[in-house]
Amino acid sequence: MAVYNAPLTDMRFILTDVFKAHEFWQNNDNLSHVDMETVDMILEEMAKLSKNVLLPINRSGDEEGATYQGDGVVTTPKGFKEAYQQYAESGWVGLGGNPEYGGQGFPKMVTMLTEEMLFTTNQSFTLYPNLTVGATLCLNAAGSEEQKQTYLEKMYSGEWSGTMCLTEPHAGTDLGIIKTKAIPNDDGSYNISGTKIFITGGEHDLTDNIIHLVLAKTPDAPEGSKGISLFVVPKFLVNVDGSVGERNTLSAGSIEHKMGIKASATCVMNFDDAKGWMVGAENTGLSSMFIMMNYERVTMGLQGLGGTELAYQNAALYAYERGQGRSDTQLQSPEKPADAIVHHADVRRMLLNAKANAEASRCFAMYVAKQLDTEKFSTDPEAAQAAAARVALLTPIAKAFLTDKALEATIDCQQVFGGHGYVREWGMEQIVRDTRIAQIYEGANGIQALDLLGRKVARNDGKYITHFLGEIRDYVSAMQADHGIKQATLNAADTVEELTKTVLTNIGSRKNEINGCAVDYMHAVGYLCYSYMFALMVEAANGKDGEFYTNKAKLADYFVGRVLPRIDAHAQMVKAGSDPMMNFDLDYFNVPAS
């Protein structure tokens, strides 16, 4: 079985030393109830649950998988029901929920750390409560008071779960062409009919009820995405007294057989005149659903972080124990036939790639979490507005860059194992397979890059990115630490500024420029973000005694010398523009069907 020890020291360093969470909470009237002693207890308890309950069923869950029994019945692997019951009874589902409806009201800066531990130890399991949390966010923000009273408490308690039903067989990224219909009834309800695919947790045996949030179109809806409405459609109708009533006319038609996250039931859901109720105003469904989707996109970055952390810990342990060859410098273990591979520079390269990614990812996720908490809880309208702009800019990076780098990190760690990394019993190939999906769902990473460059940069003429670059330069210029990360980050900021000007200049004459350059632009900005995070960590560690703090500076040295130079390659590809890929005739890609 894989090993895992929650990196609580690193988590506390990020929370307290880097972002000074206690001061942030105490200076905000809406968060002053949060104290570090309680947060420490939360982190300690989640560390135990994730290691002792979820990690032991990770591999067995992958091997057994979720099972479609026929007639719409889906079962989860052995141990999942018991683990979920323990998870729910401990109050974890409602940790960040609205206290008015039974939630505990903790900020994202806390819940992101618990989510990291969950994703590290069992990605499949985590998706079930994770989708529920996203659904509660949507209902809390856009639902009526009656809907909140009906659903939120039971969802926070874990008695009921939630999903989001967007994708259809013919409509993924382009949701404006969905075909699911919502026909109004005289009693204010709607009959929902259509088929949705790729529905995480669409059917399972973990909860008494499943609350589906479904995108559909009313009869007179406008064309395209402007005509989408959102509906709450429970698996079982809810009686007036809040109890579970009769079965709604919806069911799982099948589940997908996937590359990874096999214990997570990914369902085809059929709605056959199922009773539903509109959430929010008509034709505002997409904006309401994006409340949930933006949360999920940030959380997918945490899935990538979890995969990286688990892969690193197991690869580092293996590198300590596996003897192969001799060190290039001197004998390290003369009493043994070979030295441990951790002495080889190339093995350290792979381990440090993963370690640098994990620490930068965690710091960046906490940075975004702080912006989310400022947007949600701040009593200063200007501060909340500025945080909202920063969240808008960074959400696609949190999703796409973190998961792209995570797959690289898990593959590096798999490579440390050599042939054993390819064999199931060592667990590394499962980490790679499970982490791979994070680049695809909740908006594929190419779409995230288009969102960053097209909407968040080009559409407002670079305003968001310019403000962010100003923040980075102001902070780095004022650093007290004497470290190469300072100049490296300033240089990276100059690179991103130049690229932004180049793209904004070229899009007037090159129609494909945004689409052709978006991914490389996103990666360039991502490396800048990581560099900024290492600057924050180096400054927080500056002047403090102990190997833990010294190693922060050493890891930043590695990042500056061996990782950050990649920004230059992406910059050159952005400058090359879209012409090298668009100069081919269409027939070049025409492969005969038979």
Side-chain angles (χ1 to χ4, degrees), residues 35 56 122 137 169 193 253 349 404 417 431 459 483 539:
D35 64 273
N122 199 316
L137 284 171
S193 297
R349 172 189 63 83
D404 277 352
F417 283 74
I431 301 173
R459 189 169 292 182
H483 192 282
E539 185 71 355

Side-chain angles (χ1 to χ4, degrees), residues 166-186:
L166 292 78
T167 306
E168 300 182 6
H170 64 287
T173 300
D174 188 2
L175 290 171
I177 59 174
I178 62 171
K179 296 179 179 179
T180 300
K181 296 298 183 183
I183 307 300
N185 299 312
D186 294 337

Side-chain angles (χ1 to χ4, degrees), residues 538-554:
V538 166
E539 185 71 355
N542 186 45
K544 295 186 172 80
D545 294 329
E547 189 175 25
F548 175 85
Y549 299 106
T550 302
N551 284 336
K552 297 301 177 189
K554 289 182 179 179

Side-chain angles (χ1 to χ4, degrees), residues 189-357:
S189 67
Y190 288 77
N191 283 357
I192 311 297
S193 297
T195 296
K196 299 288 185 177
I197 64 170
F198 302 152
I199 309 306
T200 301
E203 183 57 65
H204 53 76
D205 56 358
L206 301 179
T207 59
D208 297 333
N209 203 357
I210 303 174
I211 311 305
H212 302 284
L213 294 182
V214 183
L215 293 183
K217 290 191 173 184
T218 53
D220 298 323
E223 293 291 325
S225 60
K226 293 181 180 180
I228 298 175
S229 297
L230 177 64
F231 300 86
V232 56
V233 188
K235 172 182 174 181
F236 291 98
L237 300 177
V238 181
N239 296 322
V240 175
D241 63 0
S243 62
V244 173
E246 65 181 76
R247 176 70 184 255
N248 210 346
T249 52
L250 60 92
S251 64
S254 63
I255 62 173
E256 305 294 349
H257 301 281
K258 309 184 297 292
M259 173 181 176
I261 56 166
K262 294 183 177 182
S264 172
T266 306
C267 301
V268 174
M269 295 301 300
N270 298 316
F271 298 86
D272 185 12
D273 283 337
K275 285 279 188 180
W277 290 264
M278 188 176 289
V279 178
E282 188 172 4
N283 301 328
T284 64
L286 203 55
S287 60
S288 296
M289 185 64 87
F290 264 103
I291 298 168
M292 181 182 189
M293 289 189 67
N294 285 333
Y295 167 87
E296 297 296 336
R297 286 171 176 174
V298 173
T299 302
M300 288 310 99
L302 298 175
Q303 181 178 353
L305 168 56
T308 298
E309 182 65 37
L310 186 63
Y312 170 77
Q313 288 196 24
N314 284 272
L317 178 62
Y318 182 85
Y320 259 93
E321 297 177 346
R322 175 70 168 174
Q324 292 287 285
R326 291 297 187 183
S327 168
D328 289 336
T329 53
Q330 63 184 37
L331 288 178
Q332 301 295 330
S333 302
E335 75 285 1
K336 296 179 180 180
D339 293 329
I341 62 174
V342 73
H343 295 292
H344 302 317
D346 188 57
V347 172
R348 292 196 178 195
R349 172 189 63 83
M350 293 183 284
L351 292 175
L352 288 170
N353 282 347
K355 184 62 171 172
N357 183 67

Side-chain angles (χ1 to χ4, degrees), residues 511-588:
K511 301 303 181 183
N512 293 300
E513 197 72 0
I514 290 177
N515 209 311
C517 297
V519 169
D520 288 302
Y521 180 87
M522 184 270 293
H523 277 257
V525 179
Y527 283 118
L528 168 63
C529 290
Y530 272 16
S531 191
Y532 183 26
M533 295 305 107
F534 271 108
L536 291 172
M537 289 186 284
V538 166
E539 185 71 355
N542 186 45
K544 295 186 172 80
D545 294 329
E547 189 175 25
F548 175 85
Y549 299 106
T550 302
N551 284 336
K552 297 301 177 189
K554 289 182 179 179
L555 191 60
D557 286 335
Y558 179 84
F559 175 80
V560 170
R562 298 300 302 251
V563 179
L564 186 57
R566 299 177 189 179
I567 193 174
D568 296 325
H570 290 289
Q572 289 302 315
M573 287 184 274
V574 171
K575 291 176 183 178
S578 58
D579 286 348
M581 60 196 74
M582 300 308 296
N583 283 337
F584 292 87
D585 292 334
L586 189 60
D587 285 344
Y588 181 83

Side-chain angles (χ1 to χ4, degrees), residues 40-284:
D40 276 336
M41 291 174 58
I42 289 171
L43 298 181
E44 292 281 357
E45 289 304 309
M46 178 52 75
K48 295 175 186 175
L49 177 74
S50 58
K51 178 179 180 176
N52 299 327
V53 178
L54 300 184
L55 186 62
I57 60 173
N58 186 40
R59 179 177 165 187
S60 61
D62 175 69
E63 293 177 342
E64 181 181 346
T67 306
Y68 184 73
Q69 305 290 355
D71 295 328
V73 177
V74 176
T75 57
T76 53
K78 181 180 179 181
F80 269 54
K81 285 186 69 173
E82 294 79 7
Y84 183 85
Q85 184 176 7
Q86 182 175 342
Y87 181 88
E89 290 177 350
S90 298
W92 291 112
V93 182
L95 186 64
N98 187 342
E100 293 183 30
Y101 306 97
Q104 299 179 55
F106 281 93
K108 184 65 174 176
M109 292 177 76
V110 176
T111 62
M112 67 140 284
L113 294 175
T114 63
E115 289 169 343
E116 177 195 331
M117 288 185 263
L118 292 169
F119 273 121
T120 303
T121 50
N122 199 316
Q123 295 189 33
S124 288
F125 176 92
T126 303
L127 292 172
Y128 292 106
N130 173 255
L131 267 294
T132 302
V133 170
T136 61
L137 284 171
C138 186
L139 285 171
N140 184 64
S144 66
E145 182 60 30
E146 181 181 1
Q147 289 168 345
K148 294 176 186 179
Q149 294 282 357
T150 300
Y151 300 110
L152 287 183
E153 184 174 352
K154 293 291 182 67
M155 296 172 78
Y156 287 149
S157 71
E159 296 172 73
W160 298 351
S161 59
T163 74
M164 61 177 182
C165 301
L166 292 78
T167 306
E168 300 182 6
H170 64 287
T173 300
D174 188 2
L175 290 171
I177 59 174
I178 62 171
K179 296 179 179 179
T180 300
K181 296 298 183 183
I183 307 300
N185 299 312
D186 294 337
D187 62 359
S189 67
Y190 288 77
N191 283 357
I192 311 297
S193 297
T195 296
K196 299 288 185 177
I197 64 170
F198 302 152
I199 309 306
T200 301
E203 183 57 65
H204 53 76
D205 56 358
L206 301 179
T207 59
D208 297 333
N209 203 357
I210 303 174
I211 311 305
H212 302 284
L213 294 182
V214 183
L215 293 183
K217 290 191 173 184
T218 53
D220 298 323
E223 293 291 325
S225 60
K226 293 181 180 180
I228 298 175
S229 297
L230 177 64
F231 300 86
V232 56
V233 188
K235 172 182 174 181
F236 291 98
L237 300 177
V238 181
N239 296 322
V240 175
D241 63 0
S243 62
V244 173
E246 65 181 76
R247 176 70 184 255
N248 210 346
T249 52
L250 60 92
S251 64
S254 63
I255 62 173
E256 305 294 349
H257 301 281
K258 309 184 297 292
M259 173 181 176
I261 56 166
K262 294 183 177 182
S264 172
T266 306
C267 301
V268 174
M269 295 301 300
N270 298 316
F271 298 86
D272 185 12
D273 283 337
K275 285 279 188 180
W277 290 264
M278 188 176 289
V279 178
E282 188 172 4
N283 301 328
T284 64

